[in-house]
Amino acid sequence: MPHRISARSTRTAVAVLCAGGLALVASACSSASASGGSDHHLTAYVGGDTNIQTLWQKIVVPAFEKANPGYQVKVVYSAHGVADAATLAKLQAAAKTKRDAGYDVIESSITPDAAAAGLLTTVSSANVPNLKKVDASLLGPVNNAAVPYRGSSVVLAYDSTKVKTPPKTYDDLVAWIKANPGKFAYNSPSTGGSGGSFVETTLDRHLDPATLKTFQTGYDASLESQWDAGFADLKGLNGYVYGKGVYPNGNQAVLDLLAKGQISIAPVWSDMYLSAIQNHTLDSTVKFTQISSPTFTGGASYIGIPKGGTKQKAALKLADFFLEAAQQDAIVKNLAAYPVIPLTELPKATADRFTGVDVTKLRPGYSGKTGNDMNDLWQQKVPGQ
């Protein structure tokens, strides 16, 4: 059996050689000592709510380090992404000067923006093997430059004790709203994505495919007059929604109305619904479903690898780890998020949470600037009229 040189022996030999005073050897030793396996020591920028912090710092990262001895991940957490803008600027500056930005991995709301700006490494199943299990359409919104690792969408929640046959399409939903005045609510779009999704979905029904794609991936204010027909539809619903035109302030406010039985149907975020059921703040008689023609919007959250990073291989390994079945199961359980790998790879109890919902098809919403314009125009054209 060949003799194995231990890590301790190697470090001792390096120390002895470096103490020898030979300039050439000292230089080589300095380089070896500096690296010291540090290419396996990653720094991740993570922005979001505390549940995201918990997922990274207490669940996935410890599991990754245990499965990969010698690897370490330092998580730099920004509560609610308050440092997002500064971090994006740091990535941009590093790219211009061809320097390392100091972050090997990023996961926050700026990841798609960094991908769009060409700041992130292109990914595929060649460098992230588990991507072969992920719906390829999820890579489109980030130009194949980030790894989707969890998803969510807006769904239709309904009180099954009052709604025996929930609407299946958008037209069915509108017919139900008009037949049941005051029993449907959506929050003002600027206060939360669930109400914003209902508004977007209404507007999208009047758009041609090319215009819709522009709104989803770019910005062209000259096309926004095509929203007029959709805004007219929304204005026409004022007398039928909760309180004859009351629009709650935020996603949670709509869930609260459902919980209190003041409304019977509403668009809600899938993760917020699942968390509320799990925490018993919503009764189990409140169910959820998807509508079609069109569906409500949704999307994925992404892990990005800055192009200028010097630890690409290790960073890609971490991103790939998030796509393993055990981590996807943890993501569902701790974030109430959609998995991005097939439900068949997850425990049956986990997969059963999504009965009746296609978690692989997430219709993208509008780009940031387009969405801001939509919010402003909704406020001008819809409520109180």
Side-chain angles (χ1 to χ4, degrees), residues 20-227:
L22 294 174
L24 184 59
V25 173
S27 175
C29 291
S30 174
S31 175
S33 178
S35 65
S38 64
D39 57 335
H40 290 170
H41 294 183
L42 301 171
T43 300
Y45 171 80
V46 176
D49 292 333
T50 54
N51 58 348
I52 306 299
Q53 179 188 24
T54 298
L55 177 77
W56 278 74
Q57 291 186 327
K58 296 186 178 180
I59 300 170
V60 178
V61 165
F64 176 75
E65 292 177 343
K66 183 177 180 180
N68 298 279
Y71 284 76
Q72 293 181 19
V73 182
K74 176 185 176 182
V75 175
V76 178
Y77 170 66
S78 173
H80 310 296
V82 295
D84 277 3
T87 300
L88 183 60
K90 187 175 182 180
L91 293 175
Q92 291 167 330
K96 286 181 181 178
T97 56
K98 301 188 183 306
R99 290 184 295 106
D100 190 315
Y103 295 121
D104 306 297
V105 178
I106 62 168
E107 196 284 278
S108 75
S109 61
I110 61 168
T111 308
D113 296 327
L119 303 175
L120 304 181
T121 296
T122 299
V123 295
S124 68
S125 58
N127 56 10
V128 182
N130 282 317
L131 269 178
K132 64 181 179 293
K133 300 184 291 189
V134 177
D135 190 320
S137 67
L138 294 181
L139 293 167
V142 289
N143 302 317
N144 293 76
V147 176
Y149 82 102
R150 59 185 171 92
S152 61
S153 73
V154 175
V155 295
L156 192 67
Y158 64 97
D159 184 338
S160 64
T161 66
K162 300 172 182 175
V163 183
K164 301 302 182 183
T165 306
K168 296 184 181 300
T169 67
Y170 177 91
D171 286 340
D172 289 345
L173 175 58
V174 170
W176 189 96
I177 293 168
K178 292 182 175 180
N180 299 272
K183 295 301 180 181
F184 170 85
Y186 71 93
N187 58 279
S188 52
S190 64
T191 67
S194 60
S197 180
F198 179 74
V199 172
E200 279 188 40
T201 302
T202 303
L203 303 181
D204 287 353
R205 297 175 70 251
H206 298 278
L207 303 179
D208 61 83
T211 299
L212 177 57
K213 188 166 184 62
T214 297
F215 286 164
Q216 291 171 341
T217 61
Y219 181 73
D220 187 343
S222 71
L223 298 174
E224 291 174 0
S225 61
Q226 294 186 39
W227 284 336

Side-chain angles (χ1 to χ4, degrees), residues 284-308:
S284 60
T285 56
V286 178
K287 309 293 185 182
F288 79 135
T289 188
Q290 283 177 318
I291 64 166
S292 61
S293 304
T295 63
F296 290 135
T297 54
S301 293
Y302 297 86
I303 296 171
I305 314 300
K307 271 184 180 176

Side-chain angles (χ1 to χ4, degrees), residues 290-352:
Q290 283 177 318
I291 64 166
S292 61
S293 304
T295 63
F296 290 135
T297 54
S301 293
Y302 297 86
I303 296 171
I305 314 300
K307 271 184 180 176
T310 58
K311 305 170 186 176
Q312 296 275 312
K313 188 174 180 180
L316 290 163
K317 187 180 184 70
L318 174 61
D320 191 61
F321 188 76
F322 272 86
L323 300 181
E324 292 188 358
Q327 312 318 316
Q328 289 287 296
D329 186 43
I331 286 166
V332 173
K333 290 176 178 175
N334 289 276
L335 301 184
Y338 290 174
V340 296
I341 65 173
L343 290 174
T344 53
E345 297 203 14
L346 301 180
K348 185 177 184 300
T350 301
D352 285 348

